[in-house]
Amino acid sequence: VLSDTAAFYALEGITDGLSSQDSLHLIKLIQQACAVYKLGVIVSLLQPSDAILALFDKMLVLSESGEMNYFGPANREALESVFVGKTGTLENGGSICDLVLNPQYQNDSLVA
């Protein structure tokens, strides 16, 4: 339960075991609580859907070795411009997670 007794929360694996709809609902509730209580939250998720990612302001992607691979806006256009290039697009309209986790799109540490 989020409350106004803290200004910042770190949440890990909070959608593990939930359906995609339940996960989306939970993230929306956290987003609303953050707005009401003026909270900051860092959430660690494994391969969230594009709908869930769209609810976040920023996104941090770590490589398998734990190095920063991307930090910036959590939107498709920004991610495609960094990972694929200004003229490329993600093949077959895949998800944002497909984009940032695909080894062919990996670059050195990037900040948008």
Side-chain angles (χ1 to χ4, degrees):
V1 174
L2 298 179
S3 71
D4 60 358
T5 60
F8 182 83
Y9 286 88
L11 307 173
E12 181 179 3
I14 59 172
T15 60
D16 292 356
L18 297 179
S19 70
S20 59
Q21 288 296 40
D22 289 341
S23 296
L24 181 61
H25 181 70
L26 176 60
I27 298 299
K28 284 181 179 180
L29 289 174
I30 291 169
Q31 183 186 45
Q32 291 169 358
C34 287
V36 169
Y37 295 111
K38 308 288 190 251
L39 302 172
V41 176
I42 289 181
V43 180
S44 171
L45 300 172
L46 297 175
Q47 293 189 277
S49 69
D50 286 3
I52 288 174
L53 284 177
L55 298 175
F56 289 90
D57 299 319
K58 301 233 180 201
M59 181 168 134
L60 171 66
V61 178
L62 300 176
S63 69
E64 287 186 30
S65 63
E67 296 178 7
M68 183 178 72
N69 219 9
Y70 174 81
F71 179 72
N75 67 59
R76 182 180 230 38
E77 296 78 25
L79 289 159
E80 283 186 347
S81 72
V82 169
F83 283 91
V84 182
K86 299 291 184 192
T87 60
T89 58
L90 180 60
E91 296 173 11
N92 302 322
S95 73
I96 290 174
C97 285
D98 291 338
L99 173 66
V100 300
L101 297 175
N102 188 328
Q104 82 178 34
Y105 298 126
Q106 298 298 307
N107 293 315
D108 293 326
S109 295
L110 301 164
V111 179

